């Protein structure tokens, strides 16, 4: 090959195409063409052969050029591919390096975070160990020795540390003991005695919190306070527990070991478990006079019970009679009317009954026929208790009912016993329009039939044993359980062709409030109290104003019950309790005639009573002069409420004339739940007035029932029963579940309760402490309203205790070691905020005192919370900081001193105001405060004077100025909230057409800047003086607040944030609305949960509306 513009030697020598050709450019080829033409012209035909060769060469050249181009493209493509591959490899390598670098950075971050978490965990563990060490030190304080305050104040509030040791010291110092010889005015309460073997529940906690708040307030107010503790022997409850214990552990019954040995077992059980509830009351901080603790089975109280029975029996108010009683076949004892709970049965309903494996049907009216004795027809009757027909002794019709006129005086034949039952007429009992107009009469098993039997002299046939089993009077049905007989009697009637059908019948069913067994009316000889005259006296006491009932709405209930009172059955077929001091007189030679005491065959006029057996024998001799006899004491015991009815005076020594009886009776107040107004309160009033001649107390305050957060009654089967100690100490969810297995719930109820606990306490219950629980219960307590206790509110008060703690810590830091509280209060030269907070302290003092006087505990806690939270901590302490930060000068030094003295005065008095409600944390904090000359003489807050109204602290000018400033601050905060301002401090402009308002704001601009987080406050009287870019809200008709937002926020970013928030809320709203629209929502979802969902929806909608308003405001700045 040759270079460009050169001749191809190959082509000139041969025509054979060469395999080698130059890669010349186009002009080279053109040069060759011209050279060939010259040769052809010069040499003629000689060149013709060569032309063919050159043509081949050209073809070869073109082919090779094309091949070379393809090769070139191929090589370029290969090179590009190779380069791309190399680039990919390099990129991958770079990415790997970057990833490796990032992994290293992430690992470093994770490692740093892990180390930080471990450090934080270690710090927490170290802090917890230190707190536990301090708790152990505090708990190790000997009883009666004051808790050491030498340890530095912890950073936060710890309930166990705060509560440790104080109660033992209070009790050891005798602060709770009352002195009968004291010349102070008296304030006396007795505690509603809880069951001796019981445990504290929230009802007790509410009672104790209310009573202790009153006792501490009165003690601090200069009264000689006696709050007398005691426990009730709880006859039925305690005996039942011990009987079950014997059966479970020794497989024996009380009858196997006899009365004496059984009572030993009961006392042993009481000794083992009896102090538990009293220890829990101490845990709650109850300032009870434990030196006067009583137990209803104590010797002295037992003497009082015997005295009361004998006196009332001697006067004829207690009498013996065969009457129908409310019999509990499970407990095997009679119970009083007010121990019966009634439920409404709408129609045929299956209910679970104790002692039966299958549910029992109620709410049915069964009809059957009695054949007329002479064989001429039948008479159809109906009953809801078909099993009682075995004890029928008559059939009644209305005397004016023409349908049965021809049957008057005739008889029907009982289909199973063959007894002749008279057909009687009775206009009082029979309703001609109801059913067939004929009524079966069972005098021994129905109250209305009992009265009818008395009127007509009918036979009384009891067909049940005490266990509810058919007895010998039941013939072929003997030995069957009463509700089993309900089925077999119907089958037997069908066989005899006497069954006439069954239909729904709405009814009320009586259940024992303790065992939940269906009450069986039974004919029993019992002791009764004639309450008519005593009830009338109790009504008169309220009408005359001698006895005050709060809330007053319960007066109507009081009158309604007492004016319709029935005689009180006080016999209980138990062994545990006060054995009735009555003796059955069995005359010699008349043993068979006398009948066995306790059966319907006994002679009710053969009973005498006596404080001792000797006294009873003397009375028997008077009753049966010249006759020989022997006495048998009644086996039964008295109703527990009989001894509890004497509690206000038996605990003070009655019937003996004691110093305590003289000093502390009548009591001042009886505080309890409205649910035992008749069980206990009415009986105390009746028996107190009758036996002592005095109303036992001048005021009755009735608090409400404690329910759960959803308003449901506390029930173990719902899993919402809360032990106050669980709230005080905290408990995990698993531990809560474990408590369900300690009772008598069946597996289905346990499963239901477990789900309830998961829903209400998903994370268990955190440790809240005693003070938070007490404050919550008292804050909920408003007259005549039930307490729906939400644990989250207790937790909130636990955090509030921390707020109080921090307030005292701030004071200890800022008061300084050399601070001396003022002996005389003179704040005339103090800054406006000092005069204002002192005026608010005086207002809070008046509000709390009035609320406690009115038993308005919710109002008292609200006043205290508002003062501490919203006025002292949120306002005054914040306003202190700029004052204390000023450089020292003569004027600033005075202002600082007065500010510190104001802080001390508010904290010291505020703790005294709060002490009746939160005794532990207030004592702990008060002990740490510097003491003035007056307070240094006081060892404890328990005996410190309760703050009184001080008119010299009242400052209307300062309060009005602060109201003006607060209005400006509130509007400024509203604007900040609308625009999402947090740390920014914009300028604040106040446009005011009221000169005085402008002057007050200008003079107190530091108040505004501090509380509204503004950089400055500018007061103007013309809107033109306000720069553009401001957000504005109206304060009132004469003032508006402007916040300068230019340069403070990015409107576009804030709009995006707010739109995102609105969309997020809308998703929640849509989800809830979807739930509401789901099929069966109202039927399947519990009512309380539906209510919660509705409230949640309302909150979301309100929040969304606020966000939309804020968005609209921000958009104005875009």
């Amino acid at each position: 090959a040759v270079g460009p513009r050169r001749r191809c030697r190959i082509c000139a020598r041969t025509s054979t195409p060469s395999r080698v050709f130059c890669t010349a450019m186009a002009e080279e080829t053109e040069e060759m063409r011209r050279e060939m033409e010259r040769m052809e012209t010069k040499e003629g035909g000689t060149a013709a052969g060569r032309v063919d060769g050159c043509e081949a060469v050209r073809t070869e050249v073109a082919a090779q050029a094309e091949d070379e181009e393809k090769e070139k493209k191929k090589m370029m493509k290969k090179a590009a591919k190779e380069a791309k591959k190399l680039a990919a490899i390099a990129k991958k390598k770079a990415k790997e390096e970057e990833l490796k670098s990032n992994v290293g950075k992430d690992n470093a971050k994770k490692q740093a975070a892990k180390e930080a978490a471990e450090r934080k965990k270690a710090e927490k563990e170290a802090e917890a160990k230190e707190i536990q060490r301090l708790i152990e030190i505090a708990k190790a304080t000997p009883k009666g020795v004051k808790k050491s305050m030498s340890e530095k104040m912890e950073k936060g509030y710890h309930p166990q540390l705060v509560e440790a040791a104080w109660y033992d010291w209070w009790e050891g110092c005798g602060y709770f003991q009352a002195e009968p010889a004291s010349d102070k005015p008296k304030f006396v309460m007795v505690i509603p005695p809880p069951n001796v073997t019981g445990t504290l529940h929230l009802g007790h906690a509410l009672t104790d919190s209310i009573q202790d708040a009153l006792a501490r307030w009165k003690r601090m107010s200069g009264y000689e306070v006696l709050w007398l503790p005691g426990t009730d022997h709880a006859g039925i409850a305690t005996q039942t527990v011990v009987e079950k214990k014997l059966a479970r552990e020794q497989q024996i019954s009380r009858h196997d070991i006899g009365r004496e040995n059984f009572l030993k077992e009961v006392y042993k059980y009481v000794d083992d478990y009896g102090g538990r509830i009293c220890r829990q009351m101490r845990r709650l901080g109850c300032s009870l006079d434990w030196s006067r603790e009583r137990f209803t089975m104590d010797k002295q109280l037992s003497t009082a019970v015997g005295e009361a029975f004998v006196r009332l029996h001697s006067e004829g108010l207690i009498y013996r009679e065969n009457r129908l009683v409310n019999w509990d076949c499970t407990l095997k004892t009679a119970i009083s009317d007010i121990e019966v709970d009634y439920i409404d049965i709408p129609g045929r309903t299956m209910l679970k009954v104790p002692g039966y494996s299958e549910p029992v049907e109620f709410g049915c009216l069964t009809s059957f026929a009695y054949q007329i004795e002479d064989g001429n027809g039948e008479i159809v009757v109906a009953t809801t208790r078909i099993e009682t027909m075995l004890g029928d002794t008559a059939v009644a019709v209305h005397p004016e009912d023409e349908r049965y006129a021809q049957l008057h005086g005739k008889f029907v034949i009982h289909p199973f016993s063959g007894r002749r039952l008279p057909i009687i007429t009775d206009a009082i009992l029979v309703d001609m329009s109801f059913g067939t107009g004929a009524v079966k009469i069972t005098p021994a098993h129905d109250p209305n039939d009992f009265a009818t039997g008395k009127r007509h002299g009918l036979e009384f046939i009891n067909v049940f044993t005490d266990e509810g089993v058919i007895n010998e009077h039941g013939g072929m049905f003997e030995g069957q359980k009463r509700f089993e007989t309900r089925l077999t009697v119907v089958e037997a009637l069908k066989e005899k062709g006497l069954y006439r059908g069954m239909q729904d019948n709405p009814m009320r069913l009586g259940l024992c409030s303790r065992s939940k067994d269906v009450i069986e009316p039974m004919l029993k000889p019992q002791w009764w109290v004639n309450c008519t005259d005593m009830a009338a006296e109790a009504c008169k006491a309220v009408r005359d104003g001698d006895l005050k009932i709060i809330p007053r709405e319960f007066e109507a209930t009081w009158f309604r019950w007492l004016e319709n009172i029935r005689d009180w059955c006080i016999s209980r077929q138990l062994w545990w309790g006060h054995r009735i001091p009555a003796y059955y007189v069995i005359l010699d030679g008349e043993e068979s005639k006398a009948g066995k005491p306790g059966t319907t065959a006994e002679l009710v006029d053969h009973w005498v009573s006596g404080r001792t057996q000797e006294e009873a024998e003397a009375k028997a001799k008077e009753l049966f002069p010249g006759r020989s006899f022997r006495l048998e004491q009644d086996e039964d015991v008295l109703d527990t409420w009989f001894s509890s009815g004497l509690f206000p005076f038996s605990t003070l020594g009655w019937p003996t004339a004691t110093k305590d009886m003289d000093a502390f009776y009548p009591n001042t107040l009886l505080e309890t739940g409205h649910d035992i107004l008749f069980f206990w309160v009415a009986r105390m009033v009746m028996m107190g007035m009758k036996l002592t001649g005095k109303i036992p107390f001048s005021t009755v305050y009735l608090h409400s029932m404690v329910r759960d957060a959803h308003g449901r009654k506390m029930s173990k089967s719902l899993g919402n029963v809360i032990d106050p100690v669980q709230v005080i100490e905290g408990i995990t969810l698993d531990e809560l579940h474990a408590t369900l297995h300690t009772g008598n719930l069946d597996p289905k109820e346990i499963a239901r309760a477990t789900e309830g606990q998961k829903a209400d306490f998903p994370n268990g219950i955190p440790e809240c402490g005693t003070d938070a629980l007490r404050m919550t219960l008292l804050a909920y307590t408003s007259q005549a309203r039930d307490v729906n206790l939400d644990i989250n509110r207790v937790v909130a008060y636990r955090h509030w205790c921390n707020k109080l703690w921090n307030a005292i810590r701030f004071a200890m830091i800022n008061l300084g070691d050399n601070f001396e509280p003022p002996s005389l209060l003179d704040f005339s030269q103090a800054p406006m905020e000092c005069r204002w907070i002192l005026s608010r302290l005086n207002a809070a003092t008046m509000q709390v005192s009035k609320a406690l006087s009115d038993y308005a505990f919710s109002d008292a806690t609200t006043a205290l919370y508002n003062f501490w939270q919203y006025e002292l901590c949120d306002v005054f302490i914040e306003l202190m900081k700029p004052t204390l930060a000023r450089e020292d000068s003569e004027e600033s030094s005075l202002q600082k001193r007065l500010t510190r003295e104001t802080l001390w005065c508010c904290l010291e008095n505020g703790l005294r105001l709060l002490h009746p409600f939160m005794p532990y944390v207030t004592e702990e904090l008060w002990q740490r405060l510097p003491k003035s000359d007056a307070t240094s003489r006081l060892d404890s807050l328990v005996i410190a004077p309760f703050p009184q109204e001080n008119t010299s602290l009242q400052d209307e000018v300062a309060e009005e100025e602060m109201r003006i400033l607060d209005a400006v601050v509130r509007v400024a905060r509203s604007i900040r909230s609308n625009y999402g301002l947090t740390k920014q401090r914009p300028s604040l402009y106040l446009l005011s057409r009221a000169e005085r308002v402008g002057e007050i704001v200008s003079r107190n601009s530091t108040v505004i800047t501090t509380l509204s987080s503004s950089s400055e406050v500018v007061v103007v009287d013309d809107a033109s003086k306000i720069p553009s870019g401001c957000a504005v809200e109206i304060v009132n008709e004469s003032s508006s607040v402007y916040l300068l937002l230019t340069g403070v926020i990015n409107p576009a970013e804030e709009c995006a944030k707010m739109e995102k928030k609105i969309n997020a809320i809308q998703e929640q709203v849509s989800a809830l609305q979807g739930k509401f629209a789901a099929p069966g929502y109202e039927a399947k979802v519990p009512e309380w949960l539906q209510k919660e969902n509705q409230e949640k929806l309302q909150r979301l909608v309100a929040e969304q509306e606020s966000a939309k308003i804020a968005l609209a405001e921000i958009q104005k700045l875009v």
Side-chain angles (χ1 to χ4, degrees):
V2 297
R5 298 183 181 281
R6 297 190 60 182
R7 187 174 182 183
C8 182
R9 293 190 300 271
I10 296 175
C11 292
R13 291 196 301 269
T14 177
S15 61
T16 303
S18 174
R19 295 181 64 191
V20 181
F21 189 67
C22 65
T23 57
M25 301 294 289
E27 60 265 31
E28 182 181 5
T29 305
E30 182 63 23
E31 176 65 24
M32 290 174 65
R33 186 185 64 76
R34 289 194 298 270
E35 181 66 23
M36 293 294 289
E37 287 177 354
R38 285 195 300 273
M39 289 174 64
E40 186 177 353
T41 303
K42 183 177 180 181
E43 299 180 6
T46 309
R50 295 181 181 177
V51 171
D52 292 336
C54 286
E55 185 65 32
V57 170
R58 285 196 292 272
T59 302
E60 180 73 12
V61 167
Q64 287 193 2
E66 186 177 354
D67 288 344
E68 287 293 331
E69 187 66 23
K70 287 181 179 179
E71 186 68 19
K72 181 180 178 182
K73 288 181 178 180
K74 185 177 179 181
M75 293 299 292
M76 290 176 68
K77 188 175 181 181
K78 184 177 180 181
K81 188 175 181 181
E82 189 67 24
K84 187 175 181 182
K85 184 177 179 181
L86 291 172
I89 293 171
K91 185 177 180 182
K92 182 179 179 182
K93 188 174 182 180
K95 191 172 183 180
E96 288 175 351
E97 291 295 329
E98 182 182 2
L99 184 62
K100 187 176 181 181
S101 175
N102 289 339
V103 168
K105 290 178 182 178
D106 287 345
N107 287 338
K109 287 181 181 179
K110 288 180 180 177
Q111 183 62 28
K114 183 179 179 182
E115 291 174 358
E118 288 176 351
R119 283 196 304 273
K120 190 173 182 180
K121 182 180 178 182
E123 289 171 0
K124 277 190 172 182
E125 288 176 351
E127 182 183 356
K129 286 181 180 178
E130 175 62 13
I131 294 300
Q132 190 58 42
R133 182 186 72 83
L134 295 173
I135 291 172
E136 295 303 322
I137 292 173
K139 286 183 175 179
T141 304
K143 189 171 183 178
V145 176
K146 187 175 182 180
K147 182 178 177 180
S148 173
M149 292 284 103
S150 60
E151 296 285 349
K152 67 180 179 65
M153 197 171 180
E154 289 299 314
K155 292 181 180 179
Y157 164 73
H158 300 279
Q160 285 192 61
L161 178 58
V162 168
E163 295 172 15
W166 285 123
Y167 194 92
D168 286 345
W169 179 61
W170 292 333
E171 188 178 349
C173 290
Y175 292 144
F176 307 152
Q177 290 183 19
E179 176 52 57
S182 171
D183 58 359
K184 295 178 182 178
K186 306 296 192 298
F187 179 80
V188 185
M189 290 186 298
V190 294
I191 197 168
N195 291 357
V196 64
T197 58
T199 56
L200 209 64
H201 56 64
L202 281 173
H204 292 130
L206 175 61
T207 298
D208 295 342
S209 297
I210 290 173
Q211 293 186 8
D212 190 53
L214 291 169
R216 289 178 182 271
W217 169 56
K218 287 292 187 179
R219 190 179 291 114
M220 295 174 74
S221 298
Y223 284 76
E224 190 66 32
V225 174
L226 172 58
W227 183 21
L228 196 149
T231 49
D232 186 90
H233 63 279
I236 294 176
T238 304
Q239 176 162 319
T240 301
V241 169
V242 176
E243 285 195 80
K244 287 181 178 179
K245 184 173 182 290
L246 289 174
R248 182 176 64 252
E249 296 177 357
Q250 302 180 43
Q251 293 77 50
I252 58 175
S253 71
R254 61 182 166 119
H255 300 287
D256 293 329
I257 59 176
R259 185 172 193 140
E260 184 177 348
N261 288 328
F262 177 74
L263 291 179
K264 287 180 181 178
E265 290 291 331
V266 178
Y267 273 111
K268 181 181 176 183
Y269 184 82
V270 169
D271 290 340
D272 290 342
Y273 298 96
R276 179 171 47 185
I277 201 163
C278 293
R279 290 191 295 272
Q280 290 176 317
M281 285 190 278
R282 284 178 167 90
R283 186 71 185 274
L284 269 177
C286 299
S287 56
L288 290 151
D289 185 349
W290 293 105
S291 68
R292 290 178 166 85
E293 182 183 356
R294 301 289 185 262
F295 175 42
T296 51
M297 291 296 289
D298 286 346
K299 182 178 180 181
Q300 195 278 313
L301 271 70
S302 297
T303 299
V305 169
E307 178 70 23
F309 184 93
V310 172
R311 283 195 194 184
L312 296 176
H313 183 238
S314 298
E315 293 185 34
L317 292 176
I318 289 180
Y319 62 95
R320 183 79 168 180
E321 187 173 329
N322 262 307
R323 294 177 62 176
L324 280 189
V325 297
N326 300 306
W327 188 260
D328 186 311
C329 297
T330 297
L331 300 176
K332 294 187 282 294
T333 183
I335 61 174
S336 66
D337 291 342
I338 55 178
E339 291 173 300
V340 179
D341 294 334
Y342 289 93
I343 60 173
D344 291 319
I345 306 295
R348 294 189 186 187
T349 304
M350 304 301 292
L351 295 179
K352 191 173 182 180
V353 178
Y356 292 82
S357 57
E358 298 295 328
V360 178
E361 188 174 47
F362 296 92
C364 299
L365 193 65
T366 304
S367 300
F368 68 97
Y370 272 123
Q371 296 290 334
I372 307 300
E373 183 182 32
D374 60 12
N376 293 324
E378 64 182 27
I379 188 168
V380 177
V381 294
T383 179
T384 58
R385 301 163 62 222
I386 188 65
E387 64 276 10
T388 63
M389 65 85 62
L390 299 175
D392 285 359
T393 58
V395 173
V397 296
H398 197 280
E400 298 177 5
D401 193 338
E402 295 181 358
R403 293 173 295 176
Y404 302 111
Q406 74 282 7
L407 298 178
H408 293 181
K410 292 188 177 183
F411 291 83
V412 296
I413 302 299
H414 197 285
F416 304 124
S417 67
R419 290 194 305 273
R420 298 172 71 239
L421 311 183
I423 300 174
I424 62 174
T425 59
D426 195 296
I428 298 175
L429 176 70
V430 180
D431 179 358
M432 288 187 290
S433 63
F434 182 76
T436 62
V439 180
K440 60 184 283 297
I441 306 298
T442 318
H445 292 292
D446 182 90
N448 293 323
D449 293 1
F450 176 84
T452 304
K454 286 286 187 180
R455 287 195 298 273
H456 295 271
L458 300 176
E459 185 181 5
F460 288 71
I461 300 176
N462 176 22
V463 297
F464 297 124
T465 66
D466 290 350
E467 293 78 15
V469 174
I470 303 299
N471 62 19
E472 68 278 8
H473 296 298
M476 59 186 284
F477 302 99
E478 183 178 0
Q480 295 181 10
K481 290 184 177 180
R482 54 179 171 155
F483 294 129
E484 292 175 352
T485 311
R486 179 169 292 188
L487 302 176
T488 56
V489 165
V490 168
E491 291 303 315
L493 288 171
K494 287 180 178 178
E495 290 177 7
K496 291 180 177 292
L498 299 176
Y499 177 73
R500 296 294 180 265
M502 184 182 293
Q503 65 186 69
D504 281 4
N505 182 67
M507 61 180 292
R508 296 188 75 207
L509 187 67
L511 305 178
C512 174
S513 60
R514 295 182 182 275
S515 69
K516 304 306 177 186
D517 196 4
V518 177
I519 293 300
E520 191 65 54
M522 296 263 272
L523 188 64
K524 294 279 185 180
Q526 301 285 290
W527 292 103
W528 302 82
V529 179
N530 183 339
C531 299
T532 305
D533 293 340
M534 291 190 290
E537 289 297 314
C539 287
K540 184 177 184 298
V542 173
R543 287 197 174 95
D544 292 348
D546 298 325
L547 176 62
K548 186 178 182 181
I549 298 178
I550 302 172
R552 287 196 63 182
E553 62 199 65
F554 284 103
E555 287 184 4
T557 312
W558 178 267
F559 295 136
R560 184 170 60 252
W561 189 76
L562 287 176
E563 288 170 353
N564 295 281
I565 197 168
R566 295 166 65 179
D567 287 359
W568 173 19
C569 175
I570 56 173
S571 302
R572 295 294 179 268
Q573 287 64 52
L574 306 170
W575 286 354
W576 172 243
H578 296 103
R579 190 170 179 181
I580 297 175
Y583 300 81
Y584 191 64
V585 182
I586 303 175
L587 300 173
D588 288 350
E590 296 186 7
E591 287 82 0
S592 59
K593 178 182 176 184
K596 185 179 179 180
T599 68
T600 54
E602 73 168 40
L603 303 174
V604 294
D605 59 352
H606 275 223
W607 287 94
V608 293
S609 63
R611 297 166 183 82
T612 63
Q613 185 165 343
E614 290 74 21
E615 182 181 350
E617 287 175 352
K619 289 184 178 180
K621 288 177 182 178
E622 290 181 9
L623 186 63
F624 302 102
R627 300 291 301 271
S628 297
F629 59 84
R630 61 185 175 88
L631 298 180
E632 284 189 14
Q633 187 175 356
D634 196 340
E635 291 284 333
D636 293 348
V637 299
L638 288 165
D639 180 8
T640 299
W641 294 106
F642 188 90
S643 54
S644 296
L646 311 176
F647 206 71
F649 47 96
S650 64
T651 52
L652 298 175
W654 185 90
T656 305
T658 63
K659 291 181 179 179
D660 277 4
M661 191 68 186
D662 182 58
F664 300 122
Y665 188 81
N667 302 171
T668 309
L669 173 71
L670 189 284
E671 193 284 332
T672 189
H674 64 71
D675 56 321
I676 57 174
L677 180 62
F678 309 126
F679 281 97
W680 189 42
V681 181
R683 288 167 174 169
M684 282 189 289
V685 173
M686 290 191 295
M687 297 178 78
M689 294 179 71
K690 180 63 182 176
L691 295 170
T692 71
K694 299 177 181 178
I695 303 170
F697 28 75
S698 57
T699 303
V700 175
Y701 174 72
L702 303 170
H703 67 248
S704 302
M705 302 297 293
V706 180
R707 299 181 180 274
D708 71 5
H710 314 296
R712 299 175 301 178
K713 188 175 180 180
M714 296 292 188
S715 167
K716 289 182 180 179
S717 63
L718 292 176
N720 60 358
V721 172
I722 304 170
D723 181 341
V725 176
Q726 294 170 354
V727 181
I728 293 170
E729 297 180 351
I731 188 171
T732 66
L733 182 59
D734 288 339
E735 289 170 337
L736 274 174
H737 292 339
T739 63
L740 299 174
H741 296 272
T742 60
N744 298 315
L745 298 179
D746 63 36
K748 288 183 179 179
E749 289 176 321
I750 289 176
R752 180 186 179 193
T754 300
E755 291 304 312
Q757 288 180 340
K758 286 180 182 179
D760 287 345
F761 317 112
N763 301 312
I765 300 174
E767 179 191 25
C768 296
T770 299
D771 291 313
L773 176 61
R774 285 173 55 125
M775 190 69 169
T776 304
L777 290 169
L778 291 165
Y780 271 121
T781 304
S782 55
Q783 295 178 10
R785 293 184 183 178
D786 283 347
V787 175
N788 293 350
L789 182 65
D790 186 349
I791 291 299
N792 291 325
R793 190 163 178 185
V794 187
V795 175
Y797 274 112
R798 157 69 174 81
H799 296 320
W800 193 63
C801 288
N802 203 60
K803 187 87 171 179
L804 302 178
W805 189 267
N806 288 333
I808 301 300
R809 284 189 72 237
F810 174 86
M812 300 303 291
I813 294 170
N814 287 277
L815 292 178
D817 296 336
N818 299 319
F819 174 78
E820 293 184 6
S823 299
L824 296 175
L825 301 179
D826 181 9
F827 297 100
S828 57
Q829 299 182 61
M832 183 277 299
E833 57 266 26
C834 292
R835 291 181 283 109
W836 168 77
I837 192 63
L838 290 169
S839 187
R840 296 309 304 150
L841 171 63
N842 187 57
T845 299
M846 291 189 293
Q847 290 167 2
V848 172
S849 295
K850 183 180 186 306
L852 286 172
S853 297
D854 295 340
Y855 305 99
F857 299 98
S858 179
D859 292 348
T861 56
T862 299
L864 286 165
Y865 189 90
N866 288 346
F867 172 74
W868 274 93
Q869 181 74 33
Y870 301 127
E871 296 170 345
L872 182 60
C873 293
D874 289 356
V875 177
F876 180 70
I877 287 180
E878 292 303 314
L879 294 179
M880 279 183 62
K881 296 173 183 178
T883 301
L884 298 180
R886 291 175 190 165
E887 293 184 5
D888 285 339
S889 66
E890 185 177 345
E891 181 183 356
S892 67
S893 296
L894 175 63
Q895 300 296 300
K896 289 179 182 180
R897 177 177 66 79
L898 291 172
T899 298
R900 289 189 176 101
E901 290 178 355
T902 299
L903 175 63
W904 178 87
C905 183
C906 288
L907 292 174
E908 203 277 337
N909 282 275
L911 289 173
R912 282 193 274 152
L913 280 175
L914 190 56
H915 179 72
F917 304 85
M918 307 177 86
Y920 289 110
V921 70
T922 52
E923 181 75 86
E924 178 91 8
L925 295 176
W926 186 83
Q927 292 287 352
R928 293 185 179 275
L929 278 179
K931 298 295 183 286
S932 66
D933 291 341
T935 58
S936 62
R937 294 190 293 271
L938 302 171
D939 286 334
S940 172
L941 193 53
V942 172
I943 55 174
F946 196 77
Q948 302 297 314
E949 179 184 359
N950 186 346
T951 55
S952 68
L953 296 180
Q954 191 169 337
D955 194 323
E956 289 297 334
V957 173
E959 292 213 37
E960 185 184 3
E961 289 189 4
M962 188 56 82
R963 280 193 291 271
I964 292 170
L965 298 173
D966 181 62
V968 173
V969 169
R970 286 177 182 274
V971 170
R973 287 176 173 174
S974 174
I975 297 174
R976 293 179 64 87
S977 176
N978 288 342
Y979 286 91
L981 303 184
T982 54
K983 298 180 180 179
Q984 303 94 325
R985 296 179 65 87
S987 297
L988 184 151
Y989 291 82
L990 178 70
L991 173 62
S992 178
R993 288 176 290 277
E995 183 178 345
R996 183 168 177 274
V997 170
E999 185 274 327
I1000 290 172
V1001 171
S1002 296
R1003 177 160 41 83
N1004 296 284
S1005 60
T1006 304
V1007 173
I1008 303 292
T1009 56
T1010 302
L1011 299 179
S1012 68
S1013 300
S1014 302
S1015 60
E1016 62 175 342
V1017 175
V1018 180
V1019 179
V1020 298
D1021 57 5
D1022 190 333
S1024 63
K1025 298 177 182 179
I1026 299 173
S1028 59
C1030 287
V1032 60
E1033 277 194 25
I1034 296 172
V1035 179
N1036 52 40
E1037 69 279 359
S1038 62
S1039 302
S1040 297
V1041 169
Y1042 293 76
L1043 284 190
L1044 182 58
L1045 300 182
T1046 302
V1048 175
I1049 67 169
N1050 184 324
E1053 287 182 4
E1054 295 301 323
C1055 281
K1057 288 180 184 177
M1058 202 57 67
E1059 287 172 348
K1060 186 177 179 181
K1061 181 178 181 180
I1062 291 169
N1063 292 334
I1065 295 173
Q1066 183 56 47
E1067 288 180 4
Q1068 296 183 64
V1069 169
S1070 300
L1072 274 176
Q1073 291 173 336
K1075 285 183 180 179
F1076 297 159
Y1081 173 80
E1082 292 185 0
K1084 296 177 182 178
V1085 178
E1087 187 176 341
W1088 63 267
L1089 185 54
Q1090 292 186 42
K1091 184 180 178 182
E1092 276 193 2
N1093 287 339
Q1094 284 290 349
E1095 291 172 352
K1096 183 178 180 181
L1097 179 63
Q1098 292 171 6
R1099 288 195 301 270
L1100 288 171
V1101 170
E1103 186 180 352
Q1104 189 178 48
E1105 287 303 311
S1106 297
K1108 288 179 179 178
I1109 293 171
L1111 176 62
E1113 292 295 327
I1114 297 172
Q1115 286 173 337
K1116 294 177 183 178
L1117 301 175
V1118 177

